[in-house]
Amino acid sequence: MKKYTRVSLKLITFGLWRISAGLAERVNLDSINCATESIITRDVAVIGGGSSGTYAAIRLRDIGQSVVVVERNDRLGGHTHTYTDPVTKGKIDIGVEIWQDWDIVRNFFSRFKISLTKNEFAPSAVQYVDYRTGQLVSQYSPGNATDALTAYATQLAKYPYLEFGFDLPNPVPTDLLLPFGDFVEKYALDDTVPTIFKYAQGLGNILHQPTLYVMKNFGLVDLKSIQEGFLTTAKHDNSEIYERALAELGDNALLNTSIVATKRSITGYSSITVTTPCGRREIRAKKILLAIPPKLDNLDGFDLDATEKSLFQQFGNSAYYTGVLRYTGINDNTTVQNIGINTTYHLPVLPGIYSISPSVIPGLLNVKYGSPTALADVQVQSDIIASVQRLPNRTISVESPEFAIFASHTPFELTVSSSAIESGFYKRLYAMQGKRSTYYTGAAFHTQDSSLLWRFTEQLLPLIVEK
Ligand SMILES: Cc1cc2nc3c(=O)[nH]c(=O)nc-3n(C[C@H](O)[C@H](O)[C@H](O)COP(=O)(O)OP(=O)(O)OC[C@H]3O[C@@H](n4cnc5c(N)ncnc54)[C@H](O)[C@@H]3O)c2cc1C
Ligand SMILES: *[C@@H]1O[C@H](CO)[C@@H](O)[C@H](O)[C@H]1NC(C)=O
Ligand SMILES: *[C@@H]1O[C@H](CO)[C@@H](O)[C@H](O)[C@H]1NC(C)=O
Ligand SMILES: *[C@@H]1O[C@H](CO)[C@@H](O)[C@H](O)[C@H]1NC(C)=O
Ligand SMILES: *[C@@H]1O[C@H](CO)[C@@H](O)[C@H](O)[C@H]1NC(C)=O
Ligand SMILES: *[C@@H]1O[C@H](CO)[C@@H](O)[C@H](O)[C@H]1NC(C)=O
């Protein structure tokens, strides 16, 4: 219990620190290099140093552009996040785990001299539990999805453009607008549901989501990679590439930095005022590349016009949380997966745990938790602890379950309603590309997949540089 309390306190402190205006006063300035110029003039300002933003910044420099990255966290990588066990120094990836086996992925990793290997999902026995009650459901089995996935692939093949973005035809095919549950019924794809729910994790209630988003998150590339193997880092430290990118970017990456105001210009330099740990800075950039979730509440300080506002305010989002637990009472070789004892397709009831599964370090287990809407971090943490305490094997562990680390990946999937999709939301969204000297990448503009986002970002670069 002690360590769990400490983690929560740290999170609360971090939250207070983030919303506090006196940013600089709270950070130990000795540890930071404050040499940065007070006016930072660059070709491109990249907002958000996650998967897409970091890739863009490095590649823009490769093609001769000067960049600055504005990242509000104290690290690059975004949803790529790695826990370091203080005892063994072992690493556990609690965010992005795998990549598609593509040249663009291999090239980006080899550029930073990081070895990749085919991913092997560690073999583990699976127990199915309804976490609402802790009841073990030993007679449940997800069934054989092979034939149903083949039928699903036939459907996917009708929409090859989904692999490249949201360039949807007009009119948008009606099947893409159906709630996925209706689509499953229409094409008798029932046996795909457990597999798709597991791979397209984080989408909340997938049966309610428009089929478009499910197909974007579990497409033909994923079916192919399931057969041929995904890539992962040989050291199982997926953050290393972002640490090396940070080292390469040096002063061009502003961490712990928030946007205060922007004044975009069509012809000259746009101005972005930011608060950094060294105080306020002004960025002057010819182009801005937004690589953050474009929700209105995440665009504080942006000089949004009516069109931008009307589009971004339509985004809703799911919520996704991860962490590492100790003292769970679960064996190191067992995955305990949540199911609903009496629900459609036995999908678990969310908000709730997806699964608790072994990590590479004995005694430490990965936990994944989902919700259709955002929750307070403390609420998620206490629901996870309470769920673990209901598990049947609690008696074998004397200590209370604790978090070694907890992370919110919220907002996760950004979605709009089927009627918005039908009436051309994504046509209008894509028409914003390049308007007001602003370009866009990141999951809201494509999908939750680093490899696909790197390819999407790569194809955007000539547009940013050209004009
Ligand atoms: C638990 C989990 C597991 C996943 N596993 C995989 C996987 O195995 N393989 C895979 O390909 N994909 C995986 N994904 C999907 C993943 O979301 C994408 O691969 C990718 O990280 C999304 O990239 P992005 O650039 O859109 O966002 P992010 O990587 O999240 O980057 C956004 C960045 O912007 C910063 N930011 C946000 N708002 C602001 C602001 N207002 N000002 C400044 N900075 C801001 C954030 O701090 C963050 O660093 C996983 C996601 C999660 C949550
Ligand atoms: C960012 O803030 C964290 C504290 O949250 C601090 O440890 C770190 O040194 C800061 N880094 C930079 C580059 O400002
Ligand atoms: C699943 O079904 C496919 C196709 O019907 C079959 O070839 C395969 O052997 C089955 N797998 C198992 C584990 O039963
Ligand atoms: C619970 O204990 C039994 C008996 O030791 C074991 O077979 C089972 O795998 C355990 N379950 C979990 C989730 O660890
Ligand atoms: C899992 O681990 C438990 C406890 O260490 C052990 O008793 C059991 O045999 C293991 N099961 C498998 C399938 O490896
Ligand atoms: C389904 O099971 C849960 C957990 O046992 C129970 O609380 C709920 O009432 C059940 N719902 C229905 C409709 O049977």
Coordinates of all heavy atoms in Angstrom, one line a residue, residues 330-385:
I330 N -1.1 -13.4 -9.1 CA -1.2 -14.1 -10.4 C 0.2 -14.7 -10.7 O 1.2 -14.0 -10.5 CB -1.6 -13.1 -11.5 CG1 -3.0 -12.5 -11.2 CG2 -1.6 -13.9 -12.8 CD1 -3.4 -11.4 -12.2
N331 N 0.2 -15.9 -11.1 CA 1.5 -16.6 -11.5 C 2.2 -15.8 -12.6 O 1.5 -15.3 -13.5 CB 1.3 -18.0 -11.9 CG 0.9 -18.9 -10.7 OD1 1.2 -18.6 -9.6 ND2 0.1 -19.9 -11.0
D332 N 3.5 -15.9 -12.7 CA 4.2 -15.2 -13.7 C 4.0 -15.8 -15.1 O 4.5 -15.2 -16.1 CB 5.7 -15.2 -13.4 CG 6.1 -14.2 -12.3 OD1 5.4 -13.2 -12.3 OD2 7.0 -14.5 -11.5
N333 N 3.4 -16.9 -15.2 CA 3.2 -17.6 -16.5 C 1.7 -17.5 -16.9 O 1.3 -18.2 -17.8 CB 3.8 -19.0 -16.5 CG 3.2 -19.8 -15.3 OD1 2.2 -19.4 -14.7 ND2 3.9 -20.8 -14.9
T334 N 0.9 -16.7 -16.3 CA -0.5 -16.7 -16.5 C -1.0 -15.3 -16.9 O -0.7 -14.3 -16.3 CB -1.3 -17.2 -15.3 OG1 -0.7 -18.4 -14.9 CG2 -2.7 -17.4 -15.6
T335 N -1.8 -15.3 -18.0 CA -2.5 -14.0 -18.3 C -4.0 -14.2 -17.8 O -4.6 -15.2 -18.1 CB -2.6 -13.9 -19.9 OG1 -1.2 -13.6 -20.3 CG2 -3.4 -12.7 -20.3
V336 N -4.4 -13.2 -17.1 CA -5.8 -13.2 -16.7 C -6.6 -12.2 -17.5 O -6.4 -11.0 -17.3 CB -5.9 -13.0 -15.2 CG1 -7.4 -13.1 -14.7 CG2 -5.1 -13.9 -14.4
Q337 N -7.4 -12.7 -18.4 CA -8.1 -11.9 -19.3 C -9.6 -11.6 -18.8 O -10.2 -12.6 -18.4 CB -8.1 -12.5 -20.7 CG -8.4 -11.5 -21.8 CD -8.3 -12.2 -23.1 OE1 -7.3 -12.8 -23.4 NE2 -9.3 -12.0 -24.0
N338 N -10.0 -10.4 -19.0 CA -11.4 -10.0 -18.5 C -12.4 -10.5 -19.6 O -12.2 -10.2 -20.8 CB -11.4 -8.5 -18.3 CG -12.7 -8.1 -17.6 OD1 -13.4 -8.9 -17.1 ND2 -12.9 -6.8 -17.4
I339 N -13.4 -11.1 -19.2 CA -14.6 -11.4 -20.1 C -15.9 -11.1 -19.3 O -15.8 -10.9 -18.1 CB -14.6 -12.8 -20.6 CG1 -14.8 -13.8 -19.4 CG2 -13.4 -13.2 -21.4 CD1 -15.4 -15.1 -19.9
G340 N -17.0 -10.9 -20.0 CA -18.2 -10.8 -19.4 C -18.9 -12.1 -19.3 O -19.1 -12.7 -20.4
I341 N -19.3 -12.5 -18.2 CA -19.9 -13.9 -18.1 C -21.3 -13.9 -18.8 O -21.6 -14.9 -19.4 CB -20.1 -14.3 -16.6 CG1 -20.5 -15.8 -16.5 CG2 -21.1 -13.4 -15.8 CD1 -20.1 -16.4 -15.2
N342 N -22.0 -12.8 -18.9 CA -23.3 -12.8 -19.5 C -23.5 -11.6 -20.5 O -24.5 -11.1 -20.7 CB -24.4 -12.6 -18.4 CG -24.1 -11.4 -17.5 OD1 -23.1 -10.6 -17.8 ND2 -24.8 -11.2 -16.4
T343 N -22.4 -11.2 -21.2 CA -22.4 -10.1 -22.2 C -22.4 -10.6 -23.6 O -22.0 -11.7 -23.9 CB -21.2 -9.2 -21.9 OG1 -20.0 -9.9 -22.1 CG2 -21.3 -8.6 -20.5
T344 N -22.7 -9.7 -24.6 CA -22.6 -10.0 -26.0 C -21.2 -10.4 -26.3 O -20.2 -9.7 -26.0 CB -23.0 -8.8 -26.8 OG1 -24.2 -8.3 -26.2 CG2 -23.3 -9.2 -28.3
Y345 N -21.0 -11.6 -27.0 CA -19.7 -12.1 -27.3 C -18.7 -12.2 -26.1 O -17.5 -12.3 -26.3 CB -19.0 -11.2 -28.4 CG -19.8 -11.0 -29.6 CD1 -20.3 -9.7 -30.0 CD2 -20.2 -12.1 -30.4 CE1 -21.1 -9.5 -31.1 CE2 -21.0 -11.9 -31.5 CZ -21.4 -10.6 -31.9 OH -22.2 -10.4 -33.0
H346 N -19.3 -12.2 -24.9 CA -18.5 -12.3 -23.7 C -17.4 -11.2 -23.6 O -16.4 -11.3 -23.0 CB -17.8 -13.6 -23.5 CG -18.8 -14.7 -23.3 ND1 -19.5 -14.8 -22.1 CD2 -19.3 -15.7 -24.1 CE1 -20.3 -15.9 -22.2 NE2 -20.2 -16.4 -23.4
L347 N -17.7 -10.0 -24.3 CA -16.8 -8.9 -24.2 C -16.9 -8.4 -22.7 O -17.9 -8.4 -22.1 CB -17.2 -7.8 -25.1 CG -17.0 -8.1 -26.6 CD1 -17.3 -6.9 -27.5 CD2 -15.5 -8.5 -26.9
P348 N -15.7 -7.9 -22.2 CA -15.7 -7.4 -20.8 C -16.5 -6.1 -20.7 O -16.6 -5.4 -21.7 CB -14.3 -7.2 -20.5 CG -13.6 -7.1 -21.8 CD -14.4 -7.9 -22.8
V349 N -17.0 -5.8 -19.6 CA -17.7 -4.6 -19.3 C -16.7 -3.5 -19.1 O -15.8 -3.7 -18.2 CB -18.7 -4.7 -18.2 CG1 -19.3 -3.3 -17.8 CG2 -19.8 -5.7 -18.6
L350 N -16.7 -2.4 -19.8 CA -15.8 -1.3 -19.6 C -16.6 -0.1 -19.1 O -17.8 0.0 -19.4 CB -15.2 -0.9 -21.0 CG -14.4 -1.9 -21.7 CD1 -13.8 -1.4 -23.0 CD2 -13.3 -2.5 -20.9
P351 N -16.0 0.8 -18.2 CA -14.6 0.8 -17.8 C -14.3 -0.5 -17.1 O -15.0 -1.0 -16.3 CB -14.5 2.0 -16.9 CG -15.8 2.8 -17.0 CD -16.8 1.9 -17.6
G352 N -13.1 -1.0 -17.4 CA -12.6 -2.2 -16.8 C -11.3 -2.6 -17.3 O -10.8 -2.1 -18.3
I353 N -10.7 -3.6 -16.7 CA -9.4 -4.2 -17.1 C -9.6 -4.9 -18.4 O -10.6 -5.6 -18.6 CB -8.9 -5.1 -16.0 CG1 -8.4 -4.3 -14.8 CG2 -7.7 -6.0 -16.5 CD1 -8.0 -5.1 -13.6
Y354 N -8.6 -4.8 -19.3 CA -8.6 -5.7 -20.5 C -7.9 -7.0 -20.0 O -8.5 -8.1 -20.1 CB -7.8 -5.1 -21.6 CG -8.5 -4.0 -22.4 CD1 -8.0 -2.7 -22.3 CD2 -9.6 -4.3 -23.2 CE1 -8.6 -1.7 -23.0 CE2 -10.2 -3.3 -23.9 CZ -9.7 -2.0 -23.8 OH -10.3 -1.0 -24.5
S355 N -6.7 -6.9 -19.5 CA -6.0 -8.1 -19.1 C -4.9 -7.7 -18.1 O -4.4 -6.6 -18.1 CB -5.5 -8.9 -20.3 OG -4.4 -8.2 -20.8
I356 N -4.5 -8.7 -17.4 CA -3.2 -8.6 -16.6 C -2.3 -9.7 -17.1 O -2.8 -10.9 -17.2 CB -3.5 -8.7 -15.1 CG1 -4.4 -7.6 -14.6 CG2 -2.1 -8.7 -14.3 CD1 -4.7 -7.6 -13.1
S357 N -1.1 -9.4 -17.5 CA -0.3 -10.4 -18.2 C 1.2 -10.3 -17.7 O 1.6 -9.3 -17.3 CB -0.4 -10.2 -19.7 OG 0.1 -8.9 -20.1
P358 N 1.9 -11.4 -17.9 CA 3.3 -11.4 -17.4 C 4.2 -10.4 -18.1 O 3.9 -10.1 -19.3 CB 3.8 -12.8 -17.8 CG 2.6 -13.6 -18.1 CD 1.5 -12.7 -18.5
S359 N 5.2 -9.9 -17.4 CA 6.2 -9.1 -18.1 C 7.5 -9.9 -18.1 O 7.4 -11.1 -17.7 CB 6.4 -7.8 -17.3 OG 7.2 -8.1 -16.2
V360 N 8.6 -9.4 -18.6 CA 9.8 -10.1 -18.6 C 10.4 -10.2 -17.3 O 11.4 -11.0 -17.0 CB 10.8 -9.5 -19.6 CG1 10.4 -9.8 -21.1 CG2 11.0 -8.0 -19.4
I361 N 9.9 -9.5 -16.3 CA 10.5 -9.5 -15.0 C 9.6 -10.2 -14.0 O 8.4 -9.8 -13.9 CB 10.7 -8.0 -14.5 CG1 11.7 -7.3 -15.5 CG2 11.4 -8.0 -13.1 CD1 11.8 -5.8 -15.2
P362 N 10.1 -11.3 -13.3 CA 9.2 -12.0 -12.4 C 8.6 -11.1 -11.4 O 9.2 -10.2 -10.8 CB 10.2 -13.0 -11.8 CG 11.4 -13.1 -12.7 CD 11.4 -11.8 -13.4
G363 N 7.4 -11.4 -11.1 CA 6.7 -10.6 -10.0 C 6.0 -9.3 -10.5 O 5.2 -8.7 -9.8
L364 N 6.4 -8.9 -11.7 CA 5.8 -7.6 -12.2 C 4.9 -8.0 -13.4 O 5.3 -8.7 -14.3 CB 6.9 -6.7 -12.7 CG 7.8 -6.1 -11.6 CD1 8.9 -5.2 -12.2 CD2 7.0 -5.4 -10.5
L365 N 3.7 -7.5 -13.3 CA 2.7 -7.8 -14.4 C 2.2 -6.6 -15.1 O 2.0 -5.6 -14.4 CB 1.5 -8.7 -13.8 CG 2.0 -10.1 -13.5 CD1 2.3 -10.3 -12.0 CD2 1.0 -11.1 -14.0
N366 N 1.9 -6.7 -16.4 CA 1.4 -5.6 -17.1 C -0.1 -5.6 -16.9 O -0.8 -6.6 -16.9 CB 1.6 -5.9 -18.6 CG 3.0 -5.6 -19.1 OD1 3.4 -4.5 -19.0 ND2 3.7 -6.6 -19.5
V367 N -0.7 -4.4 -16.7 CA -2.1 -4.2 -16.7 C -2.6 -3.2 -17.8 O -1.9 -2.2 -18.0 CB -2.6 -3.8 -15.3 CG1 -2.1 -2.5 -14.9 CG2 -4.2 -3.8 -15.3
K368 N -3.7 -3.6 -18.5 CA -4.2 -2.7 -19.5 C -5.7 -2.5 -19.1 O -6.4 -3.5 -18.8 CB -4.2 -3.4 -20.9 CG -2.8 -3.8 -21.3 CD -2.1 -2.6 -22.1 CE -0.9 -3.1 -22.9 NZ 0.3 -3.3 -22.0
Y369 N -6.2 -1.3 -19.2 CA -7.5 -0.9 -18.7 C -8.1 0.0 -19.8 O -7.4 0.9 -20.3 CB -7.3 -0.1 -17.4 CG -8.6 0.2 -16.7 CD1 -9.1 -0.6 -15.6 CD2 -9.3 1.3 -17.0 CE1 -10.2 -0.3 -14.9 CE2 -10.5 1.7 -16.3 CZ -10.9 0.9 -15.3 OH -12.1 1.2 -14.6
G370 N -9.4 -0.1 -20.0 CA -10.1 0.7 -21.0 C -11.4 1.3 -20.5 O -12.0 0.8 -19.6
S371 N -11.7 2.4 -21.2 CA -13.0 3.0 -20.9 C -13.5 3.7 -22.1 O -12.7 4.3 -22.9 CB -12.8 4.0 -19.7 OG -14.0 4.8 -19.6
P372 N -14.8 3.8 -22.3 CA -15.3 4.5 -23.5 C -15.1 6.0 -23.4 O -15.1 6.7 -24.4 CB -16.8 4.2 -23.5 CG -17.0 3.1 -22.5 CD -15.9 3.1 -21.6
T373 N -14.9 6.5 -22.1 CA -14.7 8.0 -21.9 C -13.6 8.1 -20.9 O -13.3 7.2 -20.1 CB -16.0 8.7 -21.4 OG1 -16.4 8.0 -20.3 CG2 -17.1 8.7 -22.5
A374 N -13.1 9.4 -20.8 CA -12.0 9.6 -19.9 C -12.4 9.5 -18.4 O -13.5 9.9 -18.1 CB -11.4 11.0 -20.1
L375 N -11.6 9.0 -17.6 CA -11.8 8.9 -16.1 C -10.7 9.6 -15.4 O -9.6 9.7 -16.0 CB -11.9 7.4 -15.7 CG -12.9 6.5 -16.4 CD1 -12.7 5.1 -15.9 CD2 -14.4 7.0 -16.0
A376 N -10.9 9.9 -14.1 CA -9.8 10.4 -13.3 C -8.8 9.2 -13.1 O -9.2 8.1 -12.9 CB -10.3 10.9 -12.0
D377 N -7.5 9.6 -13.1 CA -6.4 8.5 -12.9 C -6.6 7.8 -11.6 O -6.5 6.5 -11.6 CB -5.0 9.2 -12.9 CG -4.6 9.6 -14.3 OD1 -5.4 9.4 -15.3 OD2 -3.5 10.2 -14.5
V378 N -7.0 8.5 -10.6 CA -7.1 7.8 -9.3 C -8.3 6.8 -9.3 O -8.2 5.8 -8.6 CB -7.3 8.8 -8.1 CG1 -6.0 9.5 -7.7 CG2 -8.4 9.8 -8.4
Q379 N -9.3 7.2 -10.0 CA -10.5 6.3 -10.1 C -10.1 5.0 -10.8 O -10.5 3.9 -10.4 CB -11.6 7.0 -10.9 CG -12.9 6.3 -10.9 CD -13.9 7.0 -11.8 OE1 -13.8 8.2 -12.1 NE2 -15.0 6.3 -12.2
V380 N -9.3 5.1 -11.9 CA -8.8 3.9 -12.6 C -7.9 3.1 -11.7 O -8.1 1.8 -11.6 CB -8.0 4.3 -13.9 CG1 -7.4 3.1 -14.6 CG2 -9.0 5.1 -14.8
Q381 N -7.0 3.7 -11.0 CA -6.1 3.0 -10.1 C -6.9 2.2 -9.1 O -6.6 1.0 -8.8 CB -5.1 4.0 -9.5 CG -4.1 4.6 -10.4 CD -3.4 5.7 -9.9 OE1 -3.7 6.2 -8.8 NE2 -2.4 6.2 -10.6
S382 N -7.9 2.9 -8.5 CA -8.5 2.1 -7.4 C -9.4 1.0 -8.0 O -9.6 0.0 -7.3 CB -9.3 3.1 -6.4 OG -10.2 3.8 -7.2
D383 N -10.0 1.2 -9.2 CA -10.7 0.1 -9.8 C -9.8 -1.1 -10.1 O -10.2 -2.2 -9.9 CB -11.5 0.7 -11.0 CG -12.5 -0.4 -11.5 OD1 -13.0 -1.1 -10.7 OD2 -12.8 -0.4 -12.8
I384 N -8.6 -0.8 -10.6 CA -7.7 -1.9 -10.9 C -7.3 -2.6 -9.6 O -7.4 -3.9 -9.6 CB -6.4 -1.3 -11.6 CG1 -6.7 -0.8 -13.0 CG2 -5.3 -2.4 -11.6 CD1 -5.6 -0.1 -13.7
I385 N -7.0 -1.9 -8.6 CA -6.6 -2.6 -7.3 C -7.8 -3.4 -6.8 O -7.6 -4.6 -6.4 CB -6.2 -1.5 -6.2 CG1 -4.9 -0.8 -6.7 CG2 -5.9 -2.2 -4.9 CD1 -3.7 -1.6 -6.9

